[in-house]
Amino acid sequence: MTEATRDKPWLFRTYAGHSTATKSNALYRANLAKGQTGLSVAFDLPTQTGYDSDHVLARGEVGKVGVPVSHLGDMRALFDQIPLEAMNTSMTINATAAWLLALYVAVAEEQGADVARLQGTVQNDIIKEYLSRGTYVFPPAPSLKLIADVAEYTFRAVPKWNPMNVCSYHLQEAGATPEQELAFALATACAVLDQVKGQVAAEDFAEVVSRISFFVNAGIRFVTEMCKMRAFVDLWDELAEKRYGVADPKLRRFRYGVQVNSLGLTEQQPENNVYRILIEMLAVVLSKKARARAVQLPAWNEALGLPRSWDQQWSLRMQQIMAFETDLLEFGDLFDGNPAVDAKVEALKAGARAELAKIDEMGGAVAAIDYMKAELVQANTARLGRIEAGETVVVGVNRFVEGEASPLVGGDGGIMVVDPGVEAEQVARLQAWREGRDAAAVEAALAALKAAARTGENIMGPSIAAAKAGVTTGEWGAAMREVFGEYRAPTGVGKAAAAPTGRIEEVRAAVETASGRLGRRIKFLVGKPGLDGHSNGAEQIAVRARDVGMEVVYEGIRLTPAQIVNAALEESAHVVGLSILSGSHLPLVREVMDRLRGAGLDDVPVVVGGIIPDADAEQLRGYGVARVYTPKDFDLNRIMLDIVELAEAEGRAAA
């Protein structure tokens, strides 16, 4: 077969961005030179949540999980020497999607690009942020309006742009079953389309439907995952035709990008992750009917910390070998007519339809947020219980745990570490940017922005004008907060049922005994300092602590160290648990420890969980942290016994 008759491969992407816009730009240009065919931009948490790099909540978070973009100058540096008109760019951005797209359009115009020719995607999925990822800012109603504004604007001005990537990726990371992943993602798409329908002409609506894309997860059960993708294709076609009246089959095509499952990557025997990533990729490329339009693969060492350029290159080479060395793209669909596949697909569709019907009865995705969040926490509790019990085998974790030390984890720990000086440099650049702009133009642009938000005008025009005037990300976020207010999503912890596993009765007895000695029930405060919204681990710790009989205080994500220490004081907590997965553990934990000492609570033990390299764990212990837990510590009952021991020790010391 000639090259001309082979199917065109999917877009090769690598999710990337760190430290500064200039360093991220160098990484992007290097990856493009290695054969990457599309960009996938990771933004840091302050950018994702609408804060400038010098905001109190941004401390320790700048440049950690992505690139900081505080203004037009940062966006300009990010895409320096990268012609945006010729690029396909995916931006993983949600609450501030309208703003980052405005900055992107402004830079494209500076480059002389024809904006109508720009291609790419903003994720722009707020509902999944409420459920699983945590970078939400505004309440549901204005959030849906912002999503619809982006859809309306791109339809008219940037017709090749996908205004929304309905993201089921984080739903699976939060524990969703395949049926839940299908249903919750499709319900989200319906909520957005129902909103957009009122903002575009009826004759244009089918085209708008065709621009909605999806971003999915593919786990290790790759046959089930492949069937899930075929179910997605059928269900989306069904919804577009029956619910929205889209007659043209081409406009009902299910278009999706994918990152395979980072949740299943293990800190133990991390070299095994290479095989996991490859197997998971098969789920989204083997079936032509349901093949991904774009693929980005995590690196083998993401359970350890930030991947290096070489690690990202290794994942890119996996895609290239699959696309160019194998004969996969020379054949039609390999699974059409397969009875086992057909039966599994139909079963998944039936389960998803049942969930969709339940959500519709509640009034749609927004009305069902509390229900869906509780279901995800429950499903994740069950998943972890199966791993603890050994029912789900994870090689190197709960089976075949003996092995040689990995030579891939060398003297540098096998990961890249962000220079701690990056934050100060970014803040200095931000202050210089503020000093160098036209203050009157900024004030006028912000006034116009707030007026548009209040009157319901499409936010994109005023946002692009604000970008050009020099408005910062934090100023845009503050203006939107002033008009729309802020939102705190449900935690889902209170409604999750126990998943009794292992020694849970032994732990319950230990809690009762210790509580009796202390004179009151053990009180465990679980806190998430900073902007990290990955709450799955904290939720599962809180659920297990409650289920073994502790009194649990957990108020969700995005707390300052001062708020956590104040809660510890007011609640008279016996033990404080901190969960941080963004890499900002050192500065945030140090501040918590300093504030605890300042409040006279230096006798309250602190435990910390997160993706924490060994060297950092030693530093945390040096700060006075009693225990450090990483993804390898999957035995929740063991952690509970540690907390009991620490509470008893604290009680004896207080006595």
Side-chain angles (χ1 to χ4, degrees):
M1 178 172 281
T2 66
E3 189 67 30
T5 56
R6 287 169 59 92
D7 288 337
K8 185 179 178 182
W10 52 91
L11 280 172
F12 304 149
R13 285 186 171 135
T14 303
Y15 185 51
H18 65 83
S19 303
T20 66
T22 299
K23 290 183 179 180
S24 296
N25 171 262
L27 176 62
Y28 295 163
R29 287 190 286 116
N31 285 346
L32 290 169
K34 294 172 184 173
Q36 188 172 299
T37 53
L39 291 178
S40 181
V41 181
F43 296 100
D44 75 354
L45 289 172
T47 305
Q48 291 185 51
T49 50
Y51 293 112
D52 282 331
S53 298
D54 57 355
H55 192 277
V56 62
L57 275 169
R59 185 169 185 268
E61 305 280 17
V62 177
K64 287 285 172 62
V65 301
V67 58
V69 175
S70 294
H71 47 71
L72 185 62
D74 285 339
M75 190 66 96
R76 193 182 289 145
L78 187 63
F79 294 109
D80 182 43
Q81 300 179 62
I82 299 174
L84 296 185
E85 189 174 311
M87 191 52 53
N88 191 306
T89 304
S90 172
M91 295 194 287
T92 301
I93 196 72
N94 294 284
T96 56
W99 174 243
L100 272 299
L101 179 58
L103 289 170
Y104 188 88
V105 169
V107 168
E109 289 181 346
E110 284 185 350
Q111 290 184 355
D114 178 356
V115 171
R117 293 171 63 103
L118 297 179
Q119 296 185 69
T121 302
V122 277
Q123 193 165 97
N124 207 17
D125 178 355
I126 295 301
I127 293 176
K128 81 92 174 44
E129 295 300 317
Y130 300 145
L131 296 177
S132 56
R133 177 59 185 85
T135 64
Y136 55 81
V137 177
F138 315 115
S143 292
L144 284 174
K145 174 64 166 58
L146 288 174
I147 296 170
D149 283 358
V150 171
E152 180 188 5
Y153 166 77
T154 55
F155 172 72
R156 302 190 191 291
V158 200
K160 295 183 179 180
W161 195 272
N162 299 323
M164 184 189 190
N165 238 187
V166 181
C167 182
S168 72
Y169 176 85
H170 290 289
L171 299 179
Q172 186 178 126
E173 295 263 300
T177 65
E179 292 87 349
Q180 288 172 334
E181 190 179 341
L182 287 162
F184 294 1
L186 293 169
T188 296
C190 290
V192 170
L193 287 174
D194 290 348
Q195 173 75 37
V196 176
K197 201 169 186 178
Q199 293 187 222
V200 299
E203 62 269 22
D204 295 333
F205 187 65
E207 290 284 348
V208 174
V209 173
S210 76
R211 296 313 306 174
I212 299 294
S213 60
F214 289 73
F215 185 71
V216 305
N217 200 330
I220 196 67
R221 292 170 59 81
F222 79 100
V223 176
T224 296
E225 295 292 300
M226 183 272 293
C227 292
K228 179 188 76 182
M229 298 321 307
R230 291 172 72 91
F232 254 134
V233 169
D234 291 350
L235 289 168
W236 181 243
D237 182 80
E238 185 179 296
L239 273 171
E241 181 178 25
K242 294 181 180 178
R243 182 171 177 136
Y244 296 112
V246 179
D248 186 346
K250 291 182 180 178
L251 302 182
R252 303 197 302 261
R253 287 176 179 164
F254 182 79
R255 299 177 307 113
Y256 78 99
V258 66
Q259 170 154 323
V260 306
N261 193 357
S262 295
L263 177 70
L265 303 185
T266 63
E267 181 182 2
Q268 305 95 313
Q269 300 179 17
E271 63 278 4
N272 295 342
N273 294 332
V274 177
Y275 305 130
R276 292 185 176 108
I277 293 165
L278 179 59
I279 290 167
E280 289 165 353
M281 180 172 64
L282 293 177
V284 295
V285 299
L286 278 180
S287 174
K288 181 175 180 178
K289 175 184 175 183
R291 184 170 293 148
R293 298 291 184 96
V295 175
Q296 58 191 46
L297 303 179
W300 68 279
N301 54 353
E302 286 193 14
L304 307 177
L306 192 63
R308 302 157 298 192
S309 292
W310 182 86
D311 306 313
Q312 293 188 338
Q313 174 186 298
W314 199 6
S315 288
L316 175 62
R317 294 295 181 248
M318 267 191 231
Q319 294 202 55
Q320 292 167 328
I321 289 167
M322 182 66 71
F324 298 120
E325 291 193 22
T326 78
D327 57 356
L328 174 66
L329 299 179
E330 297 173 12
F331 294 90
D333 199 288
L334 305 178
F335 302 98
D336 282 348
N338 182 303
V341 169
D342 289 347
K344 183 63 175 176
V345 170
E346 290 305 314
L348 289 171
K349 285 159 59 176
R353 287 192 192 102
E355 278 289 345
L356 277 168
K358 194 179 298 185
I359 292 167
D360 277 340
E361 286 173 12
M362 295 178 185
V366 171
I369 286 171
D370 202 359
Y371 162 75
M372 290 191 288
K373 178 63 177 179
E375 289 294 295
L376 288 175
V377 174
Q378 178 63 49
N380 207 17
T381 300
R383 181 189 69 84
L384 289 173
R386 290 191 296 273
I387 293 173
E388 283 184 280
E391 296 168 14
T392 296
V393 174
V394 183
V395 172
V397 174
N398 61 4
R399 196 167 176 187
F400 311 116
V401 295
E402 298 301 322
E404 302 295 327
S406 173
L408 295 176
V409 183
D412 62 355
I415 56 171
M416 180 172 67
V417 177
V418 173
D419 183 345
V422 159
E423 184 169 327
E425 294 169 8
Q426 173 68 14
V427 168
R429 281 190 296 272
L430 172 60
Q431 292 170 345
W433 175 267
R434 290 193 188 115
E435 291 168 3
R437 63 191 183 172
D438 182 336
V442 168
E443 287 303 313
L446 286 170
L449 187 67
K450 285 185 273 191
R454 288 192 183 100
T455 61
E457 177 188 340
N458 190 301
I459 208 70
M460 285 304 302
S463 292
I464 293 170
K468 293 177 178 178
V471 166
T472 68
T473 296
E475 290 165 343
W476 185 91
M480 295 295 98
R481 283 177 167 91
E482 182 181 322
V483 178
F484 297 143
E486 281 199 78
Y487 181 74
R488 287 197 71 79
T491 66
V493 168
K495 297 180 181 179
T501 57
R503 300 178 294 166
I504 199 161
E505 292 305 328
E506 174 191 340
V507 181
R508 285 172 176 159
V511 170
E512 290 302 318
T513 300
S515 297
R517 288 174 183 157
L518 291 167
R520 62 186 176 96
R521 190 153 297 281
I522 293 175
K523 185 173 281 191
F524 181 36
L525 172 66
V526 179
K528 284 195 64 64
L531 296 174
D532 171 37
H534 281 109
S535 58
N536 303 332
E539 288 159 2
Q540 292 307 313
I541 290 290
V543 168
R544 184 59 59 86
R546 181 205 64 189
D547 290 343
V548 298
M550 297 183 199
E551 185 177 346
V552 177
V553 180
Y554 175 60
E555 297 178 354
I557 64 171
R558 216 178 298 168
L559 300 171
T560 64
Q563 288 172 320
I564 290 170
V565 171
N566 187 57
L569 190 62
E570 289 184 350
E571 297 285 349
S572 299
H574 290 106
V575 180
V576 173
L578 304 177
S579 170
I580 309 168
L581 282 84
S582 63
S584 56
H585 41 266
L586 291 178
L588 289 176
V589 172
R590 182 162 198 166
E591 184 176 350
V592 170
M593 301 302 292
D594 289 345
R595 287 181 176 276
L596 283 170
R597 280 188 278 271
L601 298 178
D602 47 317
D603 57 339
V604 175
V606 175
V607 300
V608 178
I611 300 176
I612 301 171
D614 289 343
D616 287 3
E618 282 303 308
Q619 274 193 260
L620 293 176
R621 294 185 189 100
Y623 297 164
V625 171
R627 299 281 192 283
V628 177
Y629 302 105
T630 66
K632 70 177 182 298
D633 299 299
F634 67 95
D635 186 343
L636 299 188
N637 289 334
R638 176 65 261 170
I639 295 173
M640 294 302 110
L641 288 171
D642 287 350
I643 292 166
V644 171
E645 180 184 327
L646 291 169
E648 280 205 288
E650 184 265 340
R652 286 194 296 273

